[in-house]
Amino acid sequence: MTTAAVLAILLPFAAAAAGLLGSRFPKGLRGGAADAAANRRAAWIAIVPTAVSTLLTIWLAYSIRAGQATGGGDWLSRFTGSAGTARVATASVAVDTGSAPISVGLLVDGLAATIAVLVTVVALAVQVYSVGYLRDDRRYPSYSAFISLFTSAMLLVVYAADLLVLYVGWEVMGLCSYLLIGHWWEDRANSRAAVKAFLVTRIGDVGFLFGVFVLGTAAGGFRIADVLAKLPELPPGTILAAALLLLAGVAGKSAQVPLHTWLPDAMAGPTPISALIHAATMVAAGIFVVARLYPVFLASGPALDVLAVMAALGMLGAALAALAQDDLKRVLAYSTISQLAYMAGALAAGSRDAAVFHLITHGAFKALLFLCAGAVIHTVGSNLMSAMGGLRRGLPVTFAAMTIGFAALAGLPPASGFFSKDEVLAAVERSLSAGHLAAPVALLLYGCALATVAVTGAYATRAWLRTFFGEHALSGLPGTAASEPVPSAVVHEAPPVMRWPIIILAVPALLLGLPGVLHIHWGTAVLSVALALLGAGAVHAVWRADPRRDPARLLGPLRGPCERAFSVDALYRAVFVRPTLLLAYVVARVDGRVVDGAVRGSGRTVTGLAGLVRRAQNGNAQLYVTGLLAGVLLLAVGAVMLG
């Protein structure tokens, strides 16, 4: 079983190496037919290993599920894999540090197997979809190779049995996100977005690394099983410090307050990359790590309160920001921040299974939404919803699939998001009366969760209406007028290589939550659906009043702050960026004027003294004789005068 896990990790890694080194082998030709041939080879190199890795992860998940058939646990723990029996690869000590040994091993359990299936299925869909989306991109070989490396790194995080091994995959994902977000680096905005994503996540990763060191040194080793076994023996202060440091890394990777600002800007990358980052890798890694190390956070006490406050602020703030965006991809980006905050809220409320359940369903419907958005953008040539409208006639498949995705996002039955969100809200509701959270924090979390349900219904409906309905034509397309609906002859579906991943992902986005159909919390479910329909109905009423205008006007004076995402970026620029730049300027001036000035001044002094000495050493014999006679004369005069 562990051999299958090793192969699942190594196959995408080998595909990345082969794609980077072999797509143009042996002649290395570029341009025209050579680029097309290289792209074809790169596609096969990327897709086949990822497909095999997907089959391996599905087999692993099935094997563990078969072992759970007679096991204990409720339906949710069996679905998420929490009830599975762990199987650990033989760990060999790679480095004996003298205190805490570093080992290499894989942990194959139900949780890892479940998340690994999500990772590989979405990665395979993205690889296939990208063949059509970047068909004429000459850098497609490196792009597909970095996706393979991204997939391998996330699988390493998922299957790692050692914290340092996990950290290796964690950091490789950061590198891949930088490379893929900046794929079109010629545009300065894209390169800036890539650098921002890299730097912001690195800030959190510093805390994460120290948290790993605190846990490992305190437990006497970095193996996850050993760390969790030693928890009862560790001082409470050590556990709290480690949990808070780990939360810094989680906030960075999973784009949670206050390190969430990189994710909306990351939309500068190709849309399939957005699907991969938002659904299966990078942002999912933070939630997974909290789930993997959940006993640490349960034992830390106040760390769960911190996580709950982060989640409460993130879910409602990001949802309000999504309601005011005109860029379709930024709407989905803020939606991801909000939905990840739901998962963080469930973890804070004490339900790891609810968080993992929502992570799985969210991966399905968010990947679907981004790939549908890519199909729309591929047709329209713009990310802006103001350039869209009336697309349901020309894009019937994309319209149907995106309708499923938006229904799952809003938590409407029978879509998968309804069932997972029901579990999350039920867990948060239970924390009001019993749980690990302080009473005010639990109340804040519950209130924000309910408010976010309504706002989510509102922004999902707004994006759905503005994209597929209305009478506005696509701007810039020939044969259309501003007052005419978009003709199907102008707008057509994406090619089959892009369309089939959308159709396949629509199935789990719709049906993945059905195992929970017999376990609905009816009171919570009715309240949730009512709030979602209230938000959707308010947007629909405003839109019907004037379909030509943006329904975001219902925000009134809040629209500007929401559109600017409450100016958090501006605040960070004022508080951190500008003082840092000023300090850097002062240091540079001091270094140039004082430090370098002193060095240059000493050099000029030595040069001047050398010039004086050089005058006496010019090779003129007459000058030497004159100097000699002058010296003799001075000695004679001195001898006479001094007697």
Side-chain angles (χ1 to χ4, degrees):
M1 184 171 286
T2 53
T3 302
V6 171
L7 289 175
I9 296 170
L10 291 181
L11 282 171
F13 180 82
L20 288 174
L21 301 176
S23 60
R24 297 185 184 274
F25 182 83
K27 297 181 179 180
L29 299 177
R30 293 183 178 274
D35 285 344
N39 287 1
R40 284 194 299 271
R41 284 193 293 269
W44 285 108
I45 291 172
I47 291 173
V48 172
T50 305
V52 176
S53 182
T54 302
L55 294 175
L56 289 172
T57 57
I58 292 173
W59 177 79
L60 284 171
Y62 174 78
S63 300
I64 291 179
R65 288 290 186 276
Q68 293 176 2
T70 58
D74 60 10
W75 76 271
L76 188 56
S77 63
R78 291 194 300 271
F79 181 84
T80 59
S82 300
T85 302
R87 293 173 174 83
V88 184
T90 302
S92 59
V93 176
V95 178
D96 189 354
T97 63
S99 56
I102 301 172
S103 61
V104 178
L106 298 182
L107 174 61
V108 184
D109 62 358
L111 176 63
T114 302
I115 302 302
V117 171
L118 171 66
V119 172
T120 52
V121 168
V122 173
L124 179 59
V126 168
Q127 288 280 25
V128 174
Y129 183 95
S130 298
V131 173
Y133 195 85
L134 280 82
R135 180 180 56 188
D136 299 322
D137 193 317
R138 64 179 303 174
R139 288 201 296 272
Y140 170 80
S142 61
Y143 164 91
S144 61
F146 292 144
I147 291 180
S148 297
L149 183 60
F150 213 160
T151 306
S152 177
M154 182 62 185
L155 289 173
L156 184 61
V157 169
V158 169
Y159 284 127
D162 186 276
L163 288 174
L164 290 181
V165 174
L166 184 151
Y167 186 74
V168 171
W170 184 273
E171 287 300 325
V172 173
M173 280 199 297
L175 172 63
C176 292
S177 67
Y178 166 76
L179 295 171
L180 290 168
I181 293 169
H183 176 72
W184 292 315
W185 52 265
E186 298 91 339
D187 188 335
R188 189 170 180 82
N190 295 349
S191 61
R192 285 180 176 272
V195 171
K196 181 178 180 180
F198 187 81
L199 293 179
V200 173
T201 53
R202 292 291 76 68
I203 292 171
D205 289 352
V206 172
F208 188 83
L209 180 60
F210 279 105
V212 167
F213 285 154
V214 169
L215 277 180
T217 54
F222 292 97
R223 286 184 60 186
I224 293 174
D226 295 342
V227 169
L228 299 182
K230 290 288 183 67
L231 274 180
E233 305 172 16
L234 300 184
T238 300
I239 298 175
L240 176 59
L244 292 176
L245 289 169
L246 291 174
L247 279 183
V250 170
K253 271 290 188 292
S254 289
Q256 293 299 288
V257 175
L259 300 179
H260 63 287
T261 57
W262 67 270
L263 192 59
D265 290 347
M267 299 302 95
T271 302
I273 292 307
S274 301
L276 187 65
I277 290 176
H278 287 248
T281 61
M282 194 72 170
V283 297
I287 301 299
F288 171 80
V289 164
V290 177
R292 172 62 82 199
L293 301 176
Y294 199 47
V296 175
F297 293 91
L298 289 176
S300 64
L304 289 179
D305 290 324
V306 174
L307 181 60
V309 173
M310 289 167 51
L313 297 177
M315 66 174 65
L316 184 55
L320 288 170
L323 184 55
Q325 304 301 311
D326 188 36
D327 188 320
L328 179 58
K329 289 178 65 176
R330 290 180 76 88
V331 171
L332 298 179
Y334 282 112
S335 166
T336 298
I337 297 173
S338 181
Q339 296 303 306
L340 290 168
Y342 266 120
M343 303 169 206
L347 290 166
S351 180
R352 181 180 75 165
D353 291 334
V356 174
F357 186 22
H358 196 52
L359 177 63
I360 295 167
T361 61
H362 175 265
F365 69 73
K366 187 53 64 69
L368 173 65
L369 284 171
F370 267 108
L371 295 188
C372 288
V376 171
I377 293 167
H378 189 265
T379 296
V380 177
S382 173
N383 292 7
L384 302 181
M385 290 185 291
S386 56
M388 302 174 188
L391 295 177
R392 69 187 186 280
R393 298 180 183 88
L395 304 175
V397 174
T398 304
F399 168 64
M402 208 164 190
T403 300
I404 293 172
F406 278 131
L409 173 61
L412 299 177
S416 61
F418 163 75
F419 299 97
S420 59
K421 190 172 288 187
D422 176 59
E423 291 293 337
V424 169
L425 291 175
V428 173
E429 185 178 3
R430 286 194 298 269
S431 70
L432 292 172
S433 56
H436 305 273
L437 299 179
V441 174
L443 185 60
L444 172 67
L445 180 61
Y446 185 60
C448 289
L450 292 181
T452 304
V453 171
V455 180
T456 303
Y459 73 71
T461 303
R462 170 179 173 263
W464 184 63
L465 291 172
R466 297 197 72 202
T467 303
F468 295 107
F469 292 86
E471 298 181 353
H472 290 87
L474 292 174
S475 61
L477 286 179
T480 61
S483 60
E484 298 176 352
V486 181
S488 58
V490 175
V491 178
H492 51 81
E493 289 285 1
V497 73
M498 295 171 60
R499 192 160 64 247
W500 276 107
I502 290 174
I503 295 172
I504 292 171
L505 284 174
V507 176
L510 179 62
L511 304 178
L512 196 56
L514 289 183
V517 71
L518 300 178
H519 308 278
I520 298 173
H521 307 85
W522 287 106
T524 302
V526 170
L527 178 60
S528 172
V529 172
L531 288 172
L533 292 176
L534 177 64
V539 166
H540 185 264
V542 173
W543 177 81
R544 283 293 300 270
D546 188 355
R548 297 174 182 271
R549 297 179 61 194
D550 189 347
R553 64 184 184 276
L554 65 82
L555 287 169
L558 279 177
R559 182 176 180 179
C562 291
E563 191 171 7
R564 295 188 297 272
F566 306 102
S567 301
V568 175
D569 272 322
L571 175 64
Y572 287 174
R573 279 195 297 271
V575 175
F576 300 109
V577 177
R578 289 175 184 169
T580 302
L581 291 176
L582 178 61
L583 178 62
Y585 174 78
V586 171
V587 170
R589 297 288 289 181
V590 170
D591 181 68
R593 295 293 182 88
V594 179
V595 179
D596 288 352
V599 173
R600 287 193 295 267
S602 62
R604 285 193 294 268
T605 301
V606 171
T607 301
L609 293 174
L612 293 176
V613 174
R614 188 172 63 247
R615 293 178 182 275
Q617 300 292 330
N618 59 2
N620 189 333
Q622 184 178 1
L623 180 62
Y624 295 163
V625 173
T626 302
L628 178 63
L629 293 176
V632 171
L633 180 61
L634 288 174
L635 290 174
V637 171
V640 171
M641 294 181 63
L642 296 176

